[in-house]
Amino acid sequence: MAKDRANGEDYTGPLKRLLLALLILCLVGLFLVWRVDSPRVERFRAQVIDTVVPSFDWAMAPVTATVKLLRDFRSYQNIYEQNQELRRELRQMTSWKEAALQLEQENARLRDLNNVRLDPRLTYITGVVLADSGSPFRQTVLINVGSRDGIVDGWATMDGIGLVGRISGVGDNTSRVILLTDSTSRIPATIQPSGQRALIVGDNTAAPPIDFLENPDLVRPGDRIVTSGDGDVFPPGLLIGQVAQDPGGRLRTRMAADYERLEFLRVLRDHGARKVSQPSALILPDEPPGTNTPAPEAEAAEAGDG
């Protein structure tokens, strides 16, 4: 058995080498034939191609199917990427739509406010914000108007849309403004349209809570908050913001002023409200000089004499 196996290996080795040599010769001959530039050889090559290539459709079918599969996969990948991009754009457009609706509502409110006749004694002066306190425990900013401009402690400041704070500390050329978000701020307010009175209490956060509300059931998120004018702290009707509700259910204030971009502040010159000493002065015209209206007691005496 061992001899037969050895004889078989002796015949197999030379046969493999012979087949390899024939294969190499065939490939070299095919290369030489394919490279020869002759009309006869060219016709021979054309006949070989016409004879052999059409019969290879079955062999090229898997390759063609694989190429189509790769193209379809690339198309699917492109469609998937486009779908993800469209989803991102849709989310952005949804947020833009919400912002546009809020701006539309705010614009409508501002247009309504433009029709309101303001107190002519309530003028303003605009100052540039120089610096802020930079402290989480005190919310203040510094503006470049002071006593030389007639600034007085307690005057209200706005950013053009909403109330920002009040003047607290006046120098010759600068003034310090305590923001509504400061922990020392307490602002009497009215919530519209219910007319509920409340107090906006600063707590060093961007959304101060609403305290001392008369009837919370009449207040809804999104209601408008304005100053009430109680205590002569601020003029009435200044926009503060809107009612919001935190996750704990507490009512807070979404400020109308943009506290992150305070560049210019409008200081309202409040010269005080008109003091009414006689209720009749509200509806009766002032008496012209030189007229003497008889007192009610004198009229009654004359009627008795008559």
Side-chain angles (χ1 to χ4, degrees):
M1 294 296 293
K3 292 181 180 180
D4 294 339
R5 190 177 299 160
N7 292 332
E9 292 178 355
D10 292 340
Y11 288 113
T12 304
L15 185 60
K16 290 181 178 179
R17 288 191 291 272
L18 179 61
L19 293 175
L20 181 61
L22 291 175
L23 180 61
I24 292 174
L25 289 176
C26 291
L27 293 176
V28 171
L30 182 63
F31 175 76
L32 293 177
V33 171
W34 218 259
R35 297 295 296 176
V36 172
D37 189 10
S38 173
R40 293 182 180 180
V41 177
E42 181 65 27
R43 289 195 297 269
F44 174 73
R45 288 198 296 262
Q47 292 178 357
V48 171
I49 292 174
D50 294 339
T51 304
V52 176
V53 172
S55 63
F56 270 85
D57 291 340
W58 61 271
M60 296 299 295
V63 178
T64 305
T66 304
V67 172
K68 290 183 178 179
L69 183 63
L70 291 176
R71 290 178 180 175
D72 293 341
F73 178 76
R74 290 178 180 176
S75 300
Y76 173 77
Q77 187 176 8
N78 293 333
I79 292 174
Y80 176 78
E81 293 177 355
Q82 292 177 1
N83 189 17
Q84 294 297 110
E85 183 66 24
L86 290 175
R87 288 177 180 272
R88 287 192 293 269
E89 292 181 358
L90 182 60
R91 287 194 294 268
Q92 292 179 357
M93 291 181 66
T94 303
S95 62
W96 291 343
K97 178 183 177 182
E98 184 66 23
L101 290 175
Q102 293 179 0
L103 289 175
E104 183 180 1
Q105 294 174 359
E106 184 178 357
N107 190 20
R109 290 194 300 269
L110 291 177
R111 287 199 302 267
D112 292 338
L113 287 176
N114 286 335
N115 295 326
V116 177
R117 183 179 179 183
L118 300 178
D119 189 350
R121 289 178 292 274
L122 194 62
T123 59
Y124 63 87
I125 181 173
T126 302
V128 178
V129 176
L130 301 177
D132 56 20
S133 61
S135 172
F137 305 104
R138 187 169 178 82
Q139 304 286 328
T140 63
V141 295
L142 197 67
I143 57 177
N144 66 340
V145 290
S147 59
R148 65 172 185 176
D149 304 293
I151 303 300
V152 178
D153 275 337
W155 282 359
T157 58
M158 304 182 67
D159 70 341
I161 297 179
L163 186 65
V164 173
R166 59 182 174 85
I167 300 294
S168 178
V170 181
D172 292 337
N173 301 318
T174 58
S175 300
R176 173 110 11 216
V177 178
I178 293 183
L179 305 181
L180 299 186
T181 55
D182 189 79
S183 59
T184 61
S185 177
R186 302 290 187 273
I187 305 302
T190 301
I191 299 177
Q192 299 175 347
S194 62
Q196 296 294 305
R197 298 298 179 93
L199 203 64
I200 309 301
V201 180
D203 60 349
N204 291 331
T205 64
I210 302 174
D211 287 342
F212 303 104
L213 191 60
E214 296 174 351
N215 191 353
D217 296 334
L218 300 178
V219 178
R220 298 288 183 270
D223 288 351
R224 196 162 171 266
I225 306 175
V226 297
T227 56
S228 65
D230 295 338
D232 293 334
V233 179
F234 287 124
L238 300 181
L239 178 62
I240 298 177
Q242 293 179 338
V243 176
Q245 193 172 17
D246 61 10
R250 188 176 186 183
L251 296 179
R252 290 183 173 271
T253 305
R254 183 186 295 114
M255 308 301 293
D258 189 359
Y259 281 76
E260 295 182 358
R261 296 180 177 88
L262 293 180
E263 298 180 0
F264 301 93
L265 289 184
R266 177 180 296 176
V267 182
L268 301 181
R269 290 194 179 107
D270 185 10
H271 299 290
R274 175 187 172 190
K275 302 298 182 181
V276 179
S277 58
Q278 297 179 0
S280 61
L282 294 175
I283 56 176
L284 296 179
D286 296 335
E287 296 178 0
T291 60
N292 295 322
T293 302
E297 294 81 0
E299 292 179 357
E302 291 178 0
D305 294 340

